[in-house]
Amino acid sequence: MTPADLASTVLTAARAVFVTRGLDVALLPETTTVERPRNPEHGDYASTMAMQLGKKAGVSPRELAGALAEELSSQPGIKSVEIAGPGFLNIRLDAGAAGVLARDVVLAGQDYGHTERLAGQRINLEFVSANPTGPVHIGGVRWAAVGDALSRLLRASGADVGTEYYFNDAGSQIVRFASSLLAAAKGEPAPEDGYGGAYISEIAQAVLAEAPEVLKLGEAEALETFRRVGVELMFAEIRQSLTDFGVRFDTYFNEKDLHERGELQEALDRLRAQGHIYESEGATWLRTTEFGDDKDRVLRKSDGDWTYFAADCAYYLDKRKRGFDRVVIMLGADHHGYIGRMKAMSACFGDDPAVNLEILIGQLVNLVRDGEPVRMSKRAGTVVTLEDFVDALGVDATRYALARYSSDSQIDIDVDLWTRAKSDNPVYYVQYVAARTASVARQAAEVGLTRGEPADFRPELLVHEKENDLLKAIGEYPAVVGSAAELREPHRVARYLEDLAGDYHRFYDKCRVTPMGDEEINDLHRARLWLNDATRTVIANGLGLLGVSAPERM
């Protein structure tokens, strides 16, 4: 019996009590939850249902708790129900009801933990979106890990998700990039506001290899060639580095397309029709202050050029036209000021910013070695890149380390910690359980121990305290996945996996799965093998949501 199953049973019992007593069933919630008590002596699970509903129904919470306890005690799988304090319900399951979860998890396999919690939601999730003017830097690496994990969580919770990379291939930063490439090809210093680093010389040489006559062209034509070919090469490198990192986007959206398809003008017309556009000093403005922004925003400058914000408006409108109900954008710490203007823009289109637009801000990350920050990339010259991270930690450790912390907290990633094969390394600690459970399964096969048929599984034999703790931990997994998705917090899965790993280690130390010596294989060995394999299933599923492997050997 999972916590969700028990919660459903509690709600059913409450309905029965309300009907029997003639109470208003409309007061009952659609769903409820149960929690694991901090003190195991208080039972397996606790419910506050009686305290939530008692006064509303005109019944003292403790009296209602008594009626609920009586009703629940008659339900299959529930061993006992005790009333504590003002109306807490402390519930104990019988061993069979608790243990059957091991079988259910193994049979569910990769689907265990998947729910319909967010079913019906169409979410566009944009993350990384680094300008194609250099390799993905340290901030983008964090969003690559967190954003990809979040997309997996949302899908596991039933949402229809489209992941998107916004490719900024228009604007002044692209002109500076092209100018830097042209200067490097000529052997000249980079422009004052240009880009440096070895990668600029590498790409410049690649452009020359593709267009050998480019330096013989006129300045404007040569610059356009370096822009076009250079951006293509840079973005191909960015895309490949993300793919190698295990991150693949459903859509790579070009900003240039917005301009060429006239979508900026379409967005302006839509906003004008909504009554939020005005002209001043030769420029076209959006009255965002009506919706809480600190100042109105220019969409088109007096010289006729569009602003970056105009492209933001057009891009948002494009996503909504594609049928996404909620637009989620992940931005770095330096973009905190964007929230007000973007929320106001959404309202100007007639949307509800609280429903249709969500902006997540990620804080800074430092890569640390020997107690000192790693400050410089070998190629980029000024920043730490995705390749630097992977070279230092590996893909698994990088993804796990970046997803393990709340994205709104600044973190230091210690190379020494995350590369050592010791239990204080969180990813090693969790992956070791994945490998250990696989090892136990191999050892079982070697001595002829199998789980047997599901119908022959005897869950009532799993009565040891450590077996019970492990079962309860496994049962919490679907709720962890759902809450991590709803709260946009993949780190909840990582912390859960570490707790689960601890429960498994304690189970492993006290409850031997395989027979010793000449001991005959019995039903307890088989039951424990089900529990071992269920643990591996959850560890593998959880690591998979973080984009991290679950090795069979370490």
Side-chain angles (χ1 to χ4, degrees), residues 386-464:
L386 173 55
E387 287 73 17
D388 297 324
F389 244 115
V390 172
D391 287 346
L393 304 183
V395 171
D396 278 351
T398 298
R399 290 192 62 132
Y400 192 98
L402 292 171
R404 184 178 184 260
Y405 302 93
S406 173
S407 57
D408 62 4
S409 63
Q410 185 170 332
I411 55 174
D412 292 332
I413 303 298
D414 188 336
V415 175
D416 300 326
L417 168 65
W418 288 92
T419 54
R420 59 178 173 243
K422 293 185 177 180
S423 61
D424 61 347
N425 175 354
V427 70
Y428 177 84
Y429 186 64
V430 174
Q431 286 186 316
Y432 187 77
V433 170
R436 173 168 271 185
T437 52
S439 175
V440 168
R442 288 193 301 270
Q443 293 168 14
E446 290 170 1
V447 299
L449 170 60
T450 65
R451 295 192 302 262
E453 294 298 321
D456 298 328
F457 173 53
R458 296 190 58 192
E460 70 276 7
L461 298 178
L462 299 175
V463 296
H464 194 283

Side-chain angles (χ1 to χ4, degrees), residues 131 133-138 141 177 180 190 194-203 234 237-238 374-389 391:
N131 290 337
T133 54
V136 179
H137 60 75
I138 194 167
V141 181
F177 177 64
S180 301
Y195 296 90
Y199 78 95
I200 290 292
S201 296
E202 292 172 9
I203 293 175
M234 188 72 255
E237 180 178 319
I238 290 172
V374 177
R375 296 187 180 280
M376 192 170 293
S377 167
K378 295 176 182 177
R379 292 186 68 237
T382 55
V383 295
V384 176
T385 67
L386 173 55
E387 287 73 17
D388 297 324
F389 244 115
D391 287 346

Side-chain angles (χ1 to χ4, degrees), residues 95 99 102 440 444 449-452 456-468 471 507 510-516 519-533:
V440 168
L449 170 60
T450 65
R451 295 192 302 262
D456 298 328
F457 173 53
R458 296 190 58 192
E460 70 276 7
L461 298 178
L462 299 175
V463 296
H464 194 283
E465 176 188 1
K466 301 307 176 187
E467 294 166 343
N468 189 254
L471 283 163
F507 158 78
K510 298 293 184 181
C511 304
R512 186 173 179 86
V513 176
T514 55
M516 294 185 65
E519 183 184 5
E520 290 188 7
I521 295 173
N522 57 45
D523 287 339
L524 179 58
H525 295 128
R526 296 187 185 94
R528 285 177 173 172
L529 184 56
W530 280 100
L531 183 51
N532 175 83
D533 294 354

